[in-house]
């Protein structure tokens, strides 16, 4: 893909699912990849998989809700590879399927800290490096739940709507400074996060909410993580050189419904 080879990318949540597929895709396109995750074991597995395929990657342990840890992540990119060209701020959790009055405060805070504050923290650390270079592209991972409401997912949906708003705002702030900021909004994708949902306060199918937005996909199937990775790579590539502030649904047609 145009303009990715030889550059440096950081991917958060790269130990699993969409983040792993995206890290692998950047590496396959010839980028140096900083594989960032809160779980060391799976992050290192991603690095191994990239290296086995002849790519270049480094693991860094990060908790995206901790600004100091995020700064260390960006420092690693600069120290290892001399800069930072692309970032996929992708780490996120999906916990506690419950009605809004049943959400515990601690659970609300944790989800917002990781899914929304984490994206802000990453951009806060990444943008100065990109600005000094005069170029860069950021793709934040939002969700279909960042575009429409989903009963039983109040904190998750609020966090992802926040990511969409943050993406637009930061895109405007940096549009004239050579840095593009976009988001992807995945529909249901076959990763570990999907199974975590049943660990919440209830099983979606047994709740008195309209859950159709979660499961009804016009294309009639869930996505593979690689189908998100390709779109993230496209948004970072030169082929998307005039695209900024956009949230691109990658959802088998859900957003059109
Ligand atoms: P996943 O659970 O397979 O991967 C998430 C990764 O993020 C894991 O490796 C996990 O260790 C890491 N992570 C969690 N908390 C972290 C933290 N505090 N700091 C750093 N890393 C952390 O899930 P996924 O589906 O690949 O999710 C990736 C992103 O895609 C998330 O933001 C999620 O909300 C979004 N998304 C997923 C779907 C889906 O259906 N899978 C749909 C829409 C949006």
């Amino acid at each position: 893909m145009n303009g990715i080879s030889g550059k440096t990318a950081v991917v958060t949540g790269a130990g699993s699912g969409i983040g792993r597929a995206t890290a692998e895709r950047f590496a396959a396109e010839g980028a140096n990849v900083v594989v960032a995750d809160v779980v060391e074991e799976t992050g290192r597995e991603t690095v191994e998989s990239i290296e086995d395929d002849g790519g270049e990657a480094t693991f860094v342990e990060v908790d995206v809700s901790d600004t100091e840890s995020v700064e260390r992540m960006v420092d690693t990119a600069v120290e290892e590879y001399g800069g930072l060209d692309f970032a996929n701020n992708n780490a996120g959790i999906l916990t506690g399927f419950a009605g809004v009055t049943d959400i515990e405060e601690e659970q609300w805070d944790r989800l917002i800290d990781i899914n929304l504050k984490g994206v802000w923290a990453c951009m806060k650390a990444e943008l100065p490096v990109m600005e000094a270079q005069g170029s860069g592209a950021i793709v934040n991972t939002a969700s279909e739940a960042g575009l429409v409401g989903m009963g039983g997912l109040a904190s998750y949906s609020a966090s992802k709507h926040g990511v969409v708003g943050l993406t637009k705002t930061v895109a405007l702030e940096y549009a004239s400074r050579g840095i593009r900021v976009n988001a992807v909004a995945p529909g249901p994708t076959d990763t570990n996060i999907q199974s975590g949902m049943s660990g919440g306060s209830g099983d979606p199918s047994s709740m008195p909410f309209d859950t159709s937005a979660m499961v009804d996909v016009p294309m009639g199937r869930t996505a593979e993580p690689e189908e998100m990775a390709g779109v993230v790579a496209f948004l970072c590539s030169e082929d998307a050189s005039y695209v900024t502030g956009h949230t691109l649904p990658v959802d088998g047609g859900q957003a059109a419904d």
Side-chain angles (χ1 to χ4, degrees), residues 13 15-19 37-39 62-64 90-93 114 141-143 156 160 186-189 191-194:
S16 172
I18 295 169
D37 205 288
V38 74
V39 181
V62 68
D63 175 354
V64 294
N90 164 81
I93 58 169
I114 294 173
T141 304
S143 168
Y156 185 77
K160 295 300 187 178
T189 309
T191 71
N192 292 339
I193 214 171
Q194 290 277 337

mmCIF file of all heavy atoms in Angstrom, residues 13 15-19 37-39 62-64 90-93 114 141-143 156 160 186-189 191-194, ligand 1:
data_model
loop_
_atom_site.group_PDB
_atom_site.id
_atom_site.type_symbol
_atom_site.label_atom_id
_atom_site.label_comp_id
_atom_site.label_asym_id
_atom_site.label_seq_id
_atom_site.Cartn_x
_atom_site.Cartn_y
_atom_site.Cartn_z
ATOM 1 N N GLY A 13 -3.322 -2.461 21.864
ATOM 2 C CA GLY A 13 -4.190 -3.643 21.872
ATOM 3 C C GLY A 13 -3.748 -4.630 20.802
ATOM 4 O O GLY A 13 -4.563 -5.394 20.263
ATOM 5 N N GLY A 15 -2.016 -7.270 20.978
ATOM 6 C CA GLY A 15 -1.810 -8.664 21.366
ATOM 7 C C GLY A 15 -2.942 -9.581 20.935
ATOM 8 O O GLY A 15 -2.861 -10.801 21.116
ATOM 9 N N SER A 16 -3.987 -9.024 20.367
ATOM 10 C CA SER A 16 -5.164 -9.841 20.088
ATOM 11 C C SER A 16 -6.023 -9.187 19.010
ATOM 12 O O SER A 16 -5.914 -7.980 18.755
ATOM 13 C CB SER A 16 -5.979 -9.977 21.393
ATOM 14 O OG SER A 16 -7.220 -10.608 21.165
ATOM 15 N N GLY A 17 -6.849 -9.987 18.385
ATOM 16 C CA GLY A 17 -7.936 -9.496 17.540
ATOM 17 C C GLY A 17 -7.539 -8.492 16.461
ATOM 18 O O GLY A 17 -6.609 -8.703 15.685
ATOM 19 N N ILE A 18 -8.275 -7.395 16.450
ATOM 20 C CA ILE A 18 -8.105 -6.364 15.415
ATOM 21 C C ILE A 18 -6.703 -5.754 15.491
ATOM 22 O O ILE A 18 -6.050 -5.526 14.464
ATOM 23 C CB ILE A 18 -9.191 -5.274 15.571
ATOM 24 C CG1 ILE A 18 -10.587 -5.878 15.292
ATOM 25 C CG2 ILE A 18 -8.922 -4.095 14.660
ATOM 26 C CD1 ILE A 18 -11.765 -4.972 15.664
ATOM 27 N N GLY A 19 -6.230 -5.508 16.721
ATOM 28 C CA GLY A 19 -4.904 -4.900 16.881
ATOM 29 C C GLY A 19 -3.803 -5.814 16.369
ATOM 30 O O GLY A 19 -2.868 -5.362 15.698
ATOM 31 N N ASP A 37 0.590 -3.570 24.209
ATOM 32 C CA ASP A 37 -0.561 -4.224 24.853
ATOM 33 C C ASP A 37 -0.317 -4.287 26.356
ATOM 34 O O ASP A 37 0.824 -4.297 26.815
ATOM 35 C CB ASP A 37 -0.771 -5.636 24.296
ATOM 36 C CG ASP A 37 -2.223 -6.099 24.457
ATOM 37 O OD1 ASP A 37 -2.643 -6.397 25.603
ATOM 38 O OD2 ASP A 37 -2.949 -6.153 23.440
ATOM 39 N N VAL A 38 -1.396 -4.385 27.101
ATOM 40 C CA VAL A 38 -1.294 -4.518 28.558
ATOM 41 C C VAL A 38 -0.927 -5.953 28.941
ATOM 42 O O VAL A 38 -0.457 -6.201 30.050
ATOM 43 C CB VAL A 38 -2.614 -4.051 29.234
ATOM 44 C CG1 VAL A 38 -3.728 -5.060 29.040
ATOM 45 C CG2 VAL A 38 -2.426 -3.714 30.691
ATOM 46 N N VAL A 39 -1.140 -6.892 28.038
ATOM 47 C CA VAL A 39 -0.803 -8.301 28.290
ATOM 48 C C VAL A 39 0.494 -8.639 27.546
ATOM 49 O O VAL A 39 0.526 -8.668 26.306
ATOM 50 C CB VAL A 39 -1.932 -9.250 27.830
ATOM 51 C CG1 VAL A 39 -1.571 -10.691 28.116
ATOM 52 C CG2 VAL A 39 -3.240 -8.882 28.517
ATOM 53 N N VAL A 62 1.972 -1.623 27.744
ATOM 54 C CA VAL A 62 1.326 -0.337 27.991
ATOM 55 C C VAL A 62 -0.066 -0.555 28.564
ATOM 56 O O VAL A 62 -0.757 -1.501 28.203
ATOM 57 C CB VAL A 62 1.226 0.487 26.673
ATOM 58 C CG1 VAL A 62 0.262 -0.142 25.673
ATOM 59 C CG2 VAL A 62 0.777 1.918 26.949
ATOM 60 N N ASP A 63 -0.424 0.331 29.486
ATOM 61 C CA ASP A 63 -1.822 0.446 29.898
ATOM 62 C C ASP A 63 -2.271 1.805 29.368
ATOM 63 O O ASP A 63 -1.810 2.843 29.847
ATOM 64 C CB ASP A 63 -1.937 0.382 31.422
ATOM 65 C CG ASP A 63 -3.369 0.628 31.895
ATOM 66 O OD1 ASP A 63 -4.243 0.969 31.051
ATOM 67 O OD2 ASP A 63 -3.618 0.493 33.104
ATOM 68 N N VAL A 64 -3.141 1.800 28.368
ATOM 69 C CA VAL A 64 -3.473 3.061 27.697
ATOM 70 C C VAL A 64 -4.180 4.072 28.604
ATOM 71 O O VAL A 64 -4.239 5.257 28.288
ATOM 72 C CB VAL A 64 -4.324 2.831 26.417
ATOM 73 C CG1 VAL A 64 -3.528 2.097 25.356
ATOM 74 C CG2 VAL A 64 -5.641 2.133 26.734
ATOM 75 N N ASN A 90 -6.196 1.512 19.352
ATOM 76 C CA ASN A 90 -7.190 0.456 19.148
ATOM 77 C C ASN A 90 -7.594 -0.266 20.431
ATOM 78 O O ASN A 90 -8.672 -0.858 20.484
ATOM 79 C CB ASN A 90 -6.587 -0.534 18.139
ATOM 80 C CG ASN A 90 -7.290 -1.851 18.104
ATOM 81 O OD1 ASN A 90 -8.326 -1.993 17.477
ATOM 82 N ND2 ASN A 90 -6.726 -2.848 18.794
ATOM 83 N N ALA A 91 -6.761 -0.199 21.476
ATOM 84 C CA ALA A 91 -7.051 -0.969 22.693
ATOM 85 C C ALA A 91 -8.419 -0.594 23.241
ATOM 86 O O ALA A 91 -8.780 0.583 23.301
ATOM 87 C CB ALA A 91 -5.982 -0.704 23.748
ATOM 88 N N GLY A 92 -9.174 -1.591 23.635
ATOM 89 C CA GLY A 92 -10.480 -1.310 24.210
ATOM 90 C C GLY A 92 -11.034 -2.540 24.907
ATOM 91 O O GLY A 92 -10.576 -3.657 24.678
ATOM 92 N N ILE A 93 -12.011 -2.299 25.780
ATOM 93 C CA ILE A 93 -12.670 -3.399 26.474
ATOM 94 C C ILE A 93 -14.180 -3.254 26.306
ATOM 95 O O ILE A 93 -14.687 -2.158 26.035
ATOM 96 C CB ILE A 93 -12.311 -3.446 27.982
ATOM 97 C CG1 ILE A 93 -12.692 -2.123 28.674
ATOM 98 C CG2 ILE A 93 -10.831 -3.751 28.173
ATOM 99 C CD1 ILE A 93 -12.614 -2.182 30.187
ATOM 100 N N ILE A 114 -10.205 3.366 29.810
ATOM 101 C CA ILE A 114 -9.470 2.621 28.779
ATOM 102 C C ILE A 114 -9.932 3.048 27.379
ATOM 103 O O ILE A 114 -9.127 3.410 26.521
ATOM 104 C CB ILE A 114 -9.641 1.103 28.979
ATOM 105 C CG1 ILE A 114 -8.967 0.675 30.296
ATOM 106 C CG2 ILE A 114 -9.065 0.316 27.793
ATOM 107 C CD1 ILE A 114 -9.194 -0.770 30.692
ATOM 108 N N THR A 141 -9.758 3.347 16.883
ATOM 109 C CA THR A 141 -10.772 2.316 16.703
ATOM 110 C C THR A 141 -12.001 2.681 17.522
ATOM 111 O O THR A 141 -11.972 2.654 18.748
ATOM 112 C CB THR A 141 -10.238 0.927 17.105
ATOM 113 O OG1 THR A 141 -9.060 0.660 16.345
ATOM 114 C CG2 THR A 141 -11.281 -0.148 16.810
ATOM 115 N N ALA A 142 -13.063 3.052 16.829
ATOM 116 C CA ALA A 142 -14.344 3.342 17.484
ATOM 117 C C ALA A 142 -15.170 2.063 17.443
ATOM 118 O O ALA A 142 -14.687 0.979 17.781
ATOM 119 C CB ALA A 142 -15.030 4.506 16.786
ATOM 120 N N SER A 143 -16.398 2.149 17.000
ATOM 121 C CA SER A 143 -17.284 0.987 16.939
ATOM 122 C C SER A 143 -18.584 1.425 16.267
ATOM 123 O O SER A 143 -18.905 2.621 16.240
ATOM 124 C CB SER A 143 -17.606 0.492 18.352
ATOM 125 O OG SER A 143 -18.664 -0.451 18.328
ATOM 126 N N TYR A 156 -20.075 1.582 27.066
ATOM 127 C CA TYR A 156 -19.308 1.286 25.849
ATOM 128 C C TYR A 156 -19.704 2.240 24.730
ATOM 129 O O TYR A 156 -18.857 2.841 24.061
ATOM 130 C CB TYR A 156 -19.564 -0.170 25.444
ATOM 131 C CG TYR A 156 -18.737 -0.634 24.261
ATOM 132 C CD1 TYR A 156 -17.388 -0.957 24.417
ATOM 133 C CD2 TYR A 156 -19.299 -0.755 22.997
ATOM 134 C CE1 TYR A 156 -16.631 -1.393 23.333
ATOM 135 C CE2 TYR A 156 -18.551 -1.183 21.912
ATOM 136 C CZ TYR A 156 -17.218 -1.507 22.088
ATOM 137 O OH TYR A 156 -16.473 -1.928 21.026
ATOM 138 N N LYS A 160 -17.407 5.100 22.839
ATOM 139 C CA LYS A 160 -17.112 5.072 21.401
ATOM 140 C C LYS A 160 -17.657 6.311 20.684
ATOM 141 O O LYS A 160 -17.058 6.781 19.728
ATOM 142 C CB LYS A 160 -17.650 3.777 20.789
ATOM 143 C CG LYS A 160 -16.945 2.513 21.320
ATOM 144 C CD LYS A 160 -15.457 2.516 21.027
ATOM 145 C CE LYS A 160 -14.781 1.193 21.394
ATOM 146 N NZ LYS A 160 -13.346 1.193 21.049
ATOM 147 N N PRO A 186 -15.793 -0.594 13.572
ATOM 148 C CA PRO A 186 -16.051 -1.995 13.215
ATOM 149 C C PRO A 186 -17.454 -2.429 13.608
ATOM 150 O O PRO A 186 -17.988 -2.020 14.636
ATOM 151 C CB PRO A 186 -15.025 -2.778 14.059
ATOM 152 C CG PRO A 186 -13.998 -1.772 14.492
ATOM 153 C CD PRO A 186 -14.733 -0.474 14.596
ATOM 154 N N GLY A 187 -18.029 -3.253 12.773
ATOM 155 C CA GLY A 187 -19.209 -4.007 13.167
ATOM 156 C C GLY A 187 -18.728 -5.261 13.888
ATOM 157 O O GLY A 187 -17.541 -5.379 14.235
ATOM 158 N N PRO A 188 -19.639 -6.217 14.149
ATOM 159 C CA PRO A 188 -19.239 -7.411 14.899
ATOM 160 C C PRO A 188 -18.095 -8.174 14.223
ATOM 161 O O PRO A 188 -18.209 -8.571 13.070
ATOM 162 C CB PRO A 188 -20.515 -8.263 14.944
ATOM 163 C CG PRO A 188 -21.517 -7.591 14.087
ATOM 164 C CD PRO A 188 -21.043 -6.219 13.764
ATOM 165 N N THR A 189 -17.012 -8.319 14.965
ATOM 166 C CA THR A 189 -15.787 -8.900 14.429
ATOM 167 C C THR A 189 -15.367 -10.061 15.317
ATOM 168 O O THR A 189 -15.468 -9.977 16.539
ATOM 169 C CB THR A 189 -14.667 -7.821 14.398
ATOM 170 O OG1 THR A 189 -15.181 -6.659 13.737
ATOM 171 C CG2 THR A 189 -13.436 -8.321 13.678
ATOM 172 N N THR A 191 -13.438 -11.714 17.458
ATOM 173 C CA THR A 191 -12.277 -11.560 18.347
ATOM 174 C C THR A 191 -12.694 -11.941 19.769
ATOM 175 O O THR A 191 -13.875 -12.174 20.035
ATOM 176 C CB THR A 191 -11.776 -10.098 18.392
ATOM 177 O OG1 THR A 191 -12.743 -9.312 19.109
ATOM 178 C CG2 THR A 191 -11.582 -9.502 17.008
ATOM 179 N N ASN A 192 -11.722 -11.876 20.687
ATOM 180 C CA ASN A 192 -12.003 -12.215 22.095
ATOM 181 C C ASN A 192 -13.014 -11.285 22.750
ATOM 182 O O ASN A 192 -13.698 -11.672 23.688
ATOM 183 C CB ASN A 192 -10.708 -12.132 22.917
ATOM 184 C CG ASN A 192 -9.743 -13.221 22.531
ATOM 185 O OD1 ASN A 192 -10.152 -14.225 21.969
ATOM 186 N ND2 ASN A 192 -8.470 -13.010 22.823
ATOM 187 N N ILE A 193 -13.087 -10.044 22.271
ATOM 188 C CA ILE A 193 -13.944 -9.058 22.946
ATOM 189 C C ILE A 193 -15.406 -9.491 22.903
ATOM 190 O O ILE A 193 -16.179 -9.208 23.807
ATOM 191 C CB ILE A 193 -13.778 -7.657 22.314
ATOM 192 C CG1 ILE A 193 -13.912 -6.568 23.376
ATOM 193 C CG2 ILE A 193 -14.750 -7.411 21.191
ATOM 194 C CD1 ILE A 193 -13.542 -5.179 22.897
ATOM 195 N N GLN A 194 -15.777 -10.179 21.858
ATOM 196 C CA GLN A 194 -17.169 -10.612 21.717
ATOM 197 C C GLN A 194 -17.554 -11.570 22.841
ATOM 198 O O GLN A 194 -18.622 -11.463 23.421
ATOM 199 C CB GLN A 194 -17.356 -11.308 20.364
ATOM 200 C CG GLN A 194 -17.261 -10.360 19.186
ATOM 201 C CD GLN A 194 -18.573 -9.643 18.909
ATOM 202 O OE1 GLN A 194 -19.619 -10.128 19.285
ATOM 203 N NE2 GLN A 194 -18.503 -8.488 18.280
HETATM 204 P P1 LIG B 1 -9.632 -8.118 21.755
HETATM 205 O O1 LIG B 1 -10.117 -8.316 23.144
HETATM 206 O O2 LIG B 1 -9.354 -9.292 20.898
HETATM 207 O O3 LIG B 1 -8.339 -7.180 21.780
HETATM 208 C C1 LIG B 1 -8.230 -6.073 22.643
HETATM 209 C C2 LIG B 1 -6.780 -5.942 23.085
HETATM 210 O O4 LIG B 1 -6.660 -4.750 23.870
HETATM 211 C C3 LIG B 1 -6.315 -7.096 23.970
HETATM 212 O O5 LIG B 1 -5.076 -7.602 23.490
HETATM 213 C C4 LIG B 1 -6.163 -6.465 25.340
HETATM 214 O O6 LIG B 1 -5.132 -7.049 26.129
HETATM 215 C C5 LIG B 1 -5.831 -5.023 24.981
HETATM 216 N N1 LIG B 1 -6.118 -4.109 26.070
HETATM 217 C C6 LIG B 1 -7.198 -4.105 26.897
HETATM 218 N N2 LIG B 1 -7.070 -3.129 27.809
HETATM 219 C C7 LIG B 1 -5.901 -2.499 27.551
HETATM 220 C C8 LIG B 1 -5.223 -1.418 28.161
HETATM 221 N N3 LIG B 1 -5.709 -0.798 29.227
HETATM 222 N N4 LIG B 1 -4.047 -1.016 27.633
HETATM 223 C C9 LIG B 1 -3.525 -1.659 26.558
HETATM 224 N N5 LIG B 1 -4.106 -2.705 25.951
HETATM 225 C C10 LIG B 1 -5.285 -3.117 26.439
HETATM 226 O O7 LIG B 1 -10.748 -7.210 21.083
HETATM 227 P P2 LIG B 1 -10.894 -6.549 19.621
HETATM 228 O O8 LIG B 1 -12.218 -6.894 19.139
HETATM 229 O O9 LIG B 1 -9.712 -6.807 18.775
HETATM 230 O O10 LIG B 1 -10.949 -5.009 20.035
HETATM 231 C C11 LIG B 1 -10.123 -4.018 19.468
HETATM 232 C C12 LIG B 1 -10.905 -2.727 19.388
HETATM 233 O O11 LIG B 1 -11.989 -2.904 18.460
HETATM 234 C C13 LIG B 1 -11.554 -2.280 20.694
HETATM 235 O O12 LIG B 1 -11.401 -0.893 20.857
HETATM 236 C C14 LIG B 1 -13.017 -2.611 20.504
HETATM 237 O O13 LIG B 1 -13.865 -1.802 21.276
HETATM 238 C C15 LIG B 1 -13.164 -2.379 19.027
HETATM 239 N N6 LIG B 1 -14.334 -3.041 18.427
HETATM 240 C C16 LIG B 1 -14.422 -4.402 18.375
HETATM 241 C C17 LIG B 1 -15.541 -4.993 17.801
HETATM 242 C C18 LIG B 1 -15.701 -6.479 17.723
HETATM 243 O O14 LIG B 1 -16.810 -6.930 17.383
HETATM 244 N N7 LIG B 1 -14.666 -7.269 17.957
HETATM 245 C C19 LIG B 1 -16.574 -4.188 17.296
HETATM 246 C C20 LIG B 1 -16.445 -2.818 17.372
HETATM 247 C C21 LIG B 1 -15.314 -2.247 17.936
#
